[in-house]
Amino acid sequence: MKIIKSYKRNLADCLIIVAALVILGIIFKNIKFYYIAVSLALICGLFHKTAFYISFLWQSIGLVIGFFVSKILLTVIFYFILFPFSLLQKLFSKNLSISNKTHKTYWKTKTSTTTDFEKLW
């Protein structure tokens, strides 16, 4: 887990949290969000170590959420987009080996038993 230790980055993370709290205060029309935002801005501006810990927590939460969201998003893309397309391709394909099950197996028997080691492929 790579956590950035730069002071400017820590302040930027705290500023993002403060901006989010101000936006929540506007949306919910609750003054408590403003008080929390102002106190957080003062604490992060005055105490660098506190800004580092808040930034560390913020980035850790982001990594955990990113881990789970990526799995959920890829699962949704696979089952709702790729899987139906593959089924449609198998059903309506002109390739008879895919769309029609006429043979027990699709393995081809090798006709020659000699191997040319200079031209393997």
Side-chain angles (χ1 to χ4, degrees):
M1 179 164 65
K2 184 178 180 181
I3 301 297
I4 299 172
K5 296 181 182 180
S6 170
Y7 175 65
K8 288 182 181 180
R9 178 59 192 247
N10 295 340
L11 284 180
D13 288 345
C14 291
L15 182 63
I16 290 170
I17 297 170
V18 167
L21 287 170
V22 169
I23 291 171
L24 286 174
I26 292 170
I27 291 173
F28 293 115
K29 295 179 178 53
N30 192 346
I31 200 160
K32 292 178 185 178
F33 288 112
Y34 297 123
Y35 288 135
I36 295 171
V38 169
S39 62
L40 183 65
L42 287 174
I43 290 171
C44 289
L46 296 175
F47 305 110
H48 305 299
K49 203 68 164 171
T50 307
F52 169 74
Y53 289 125
I54 291 173
S55 176
F56 179 80
L57 180 68
W58 180 254
Q59 291 178 22
S60 299
I61 290 171
L63 287 173
V64 170
I65 290 173
F67 176 77
F68 288 111
V69 167
S70 66
K71 304 296 187 257
I72 292 168
L73 189 64
L74 288 174
T75 303
V76 167
I77 288 172
F78 178 77
Y79 282 110
F80 290 113
I81 296 173
L82 296 177
F83 185 67
F85 279 132
S86 72
L87 284 178
L88 290 173
Q89 192 270 335
K90 286 180 183 179
L91 288 173
F92 299 113
S93 175
K94 301 252 184 211
N95 188 355
L96 296 177
S97 66
I98 293 175
S99 59
N100 292 336
K101 293 282 187 178
T102 57
H103 302 291
K104 283 185 178 179
T105 182
Y106 294 105
W107 287 89
K108 294 182 181 178
T109 57
K110 190 173 180 180
T111 56
S112 66
T113 57
T114 61
T115 305
D116 185 10
F117 288 107
E118 291 184 12
K119 296 180 182 178
L120 291 176
W121 312 110

